[in-house]
Amino acid sequence: MMMNNDEIFRIAMEQSAEDMGCKAEAFLSDSNVVVSFRLGDNSKKYYKLPIGANFISYGNNTVVGVTDELSDIVNEYIEKYQFYHCFETPNMNWLNERLAVKGYKVCFMAEYYLPEVSKIPVMDCKYDLRILEQKDFQNLYLPEWSNALCKDRKELDVFGVGAYDGNKLIGLAGCSADAELMWQIGVDVLPEYRKQGVASAITSALEREIIARGKVPFYCSAWSNIRSVRNAIKSGFIPAWIEMTIKPTEIVDEMNI
């Protein structure tokens, strides 16, 4: 039986709780919640320590998993500002200034999407769509497919949907088994084939197939990546939660080299 939206959100919240060391009910509270940060044994595979703090909001409050070292700063921050402003500048600058003294910075920020199961479209596509299994990815770990596949975690790339112009792969949506019940979708389309509905066709097809296999598909995008956000919405995804992760300064600075 297909999962409904309530079940999908429950699974997502339970996974977020596992990812930071809280209870799923924390995300439904009207008050902010701060817990001692702990990656659970079944946390999403892409989290890498060290993490000073992780902020998550499903729209009701802010839940933060934080180390003891940063606890005072984080508690003051989430009490000082409205919970949804904790993920924005200029307020974030207040946080960064105080984190700097401890050797930390804001690192990752992203918005996550879950499917609205009654509105996942079946998209027309003039190109041939094919289901690809893990064995078919062997020669596809190339720059043009770096969003759909991850060469550093090949074992998690479980299957995907490819769009073909004849025998040429022109679009690929892949899913990574980042958690036991939640598989993340990434999408790439060759530049000369964009704006033809390829991305939404392969995304929605993969979305339906993941659900058919008893898993929850999820999608991640930076707020500034409007093209990706549009694809998520067109493919039947809706905004579900946001995250902001604090990491040591040297790790953040290394990413900017």
Side-chain angles (χ1 to χ4, degrees):
M1 183 178 296
M2 181 178 290
M3 292 175 284
N4 61 38
N5 290 335
D6 288 342
E7 290 169 325
I8 285 173
F9 268 81
R10 175 184 57 79
I11 290 170
M13 288 183 185
E14 288 176 350
Q15 183 60 57
S16 291
E18 179 72 9
D19 296 338
M20 69 187 329
C22 67
K23 294 182 178 180
E25 292 77 14
F27 301 107
L28 298 174
S29 173
D30 292 331
S31 302
N32 295 327
V33 177
V34 179
V35 298
S36 180
F37 179 78
R38 177 186 61 83
L39 278 181
D41 293 337
N42 297 311
S43 61
K44 295 190 189 79
K45 302 296 193 300
Y46 53 74
Y47 288 115
K48 292 182 180 180
L49 297 174
I51 293 174
N54 198 28
F55 293 66
I56 298 179
S57 177
Y58 278 81
N60 300 298
N61 65 348
T62 295
V63 180
V64 191
V66 62
T67 59
D68 291 343
E69 182 182 10
L70 303 181
S71 179
D72 289 346
I73 296 173
V74 165
N75 273 286
E76 184 179 359
Y77 183 59
I78 66 170
E79 291 303 318
K80 186 176 180 64
Y81 301 109
Q82 288 279 358
F83 75 87
Y84 47 87
H85 289 316
C86 289
F87 299 83
E88 301 176 337
T89 54
N91 299 340
M92 198 188 306
N93 292 330
W94 183 99
L95 177 63
N96 247 345
E97 288 172 2
R98 285 151 183 82
L99 290 173
V101 177
K102 298 283 189 176
Y104 288 84
K105 284 183 179 180
V106 174
C107 186
F108 300 117
M109 297 179 64
E111 185 168 22
Y112 291 82
Y113 301 78
L114 291 171
E116 190 166 12
V117 292
S118 63
K119 296 184 179 180
I120 301 174
V122 177
M123 310 290 294
D124 291 329
C125 186
K126 66 180 181 181
Y127 300 104
D128 182 31
L129 302 188
R130 305 175 194 173
I131 298 291
L132 302 179
E133 301 296 340
Q134 193 174 55
K135 59 182 175 57
D136 300 313
F137 296 150
Q138 184 175 356
N139 298 318
L140 296 180
Y141 288 94
L142 304 168
E144 56 264 41
W145 311 122
S146 60
N147 290 311
L149 303 174
C150 180
K151 65 180 180 180
D152 295 328
R153 298 184 289 122
K154 293 180 180 180
E155 72 281 1
L156 300 180
D157 291 330
V158 285
F159 77 104
V161 174
Y164 286 82
D165 185 359
N167 290 321
K168 180 181 180 181
L169 179 65
I170 58 96
L172 178 62
C175 67
S176 175
D178 289 330
E180 182 180 355
L181 293 178
M182 297 186 70
W183 292 358
Q184 182 172 193
I185 292 178
V187 186
D188 289 294
V189 177
L190 297 181
E192 62 269 30
Y193 288 91
R194 292 172 185 166
K195 297 185 179 181
Q196 299 182 50
V198 175
S200 56
I202 58 179
T203 301
S204 59
L206 182 56
E207 191 178 354
R208 293 192 306 274
E209 185 64 25
I210 292 172
I211 292 174
R213 298 189 186 199
K215 308 296 183 181
V216 173
F218 72 104
Y219 187 105
C220 175
S221 175
W223 292 293
S224 56
N225 191 344
I226 299 301
R227 183 170 61 195
S228 182
V229 172
R230 286 173 178 163
N231 180 57
I233 294 170
K234 189 175 181 180
S235 302
F237 282 100
I238 57 174
W241 81 93
I242 54 176
E243 294 193 27
M244 180 172 72
T245 305
I246 309 302
K247 280 186 166 287
T249 298
E250 61 268 21
I251 293 177
V252 180
D253 290 348
E254 186 177 345
M255 294 178 184
N256 286 323
I257 295 176

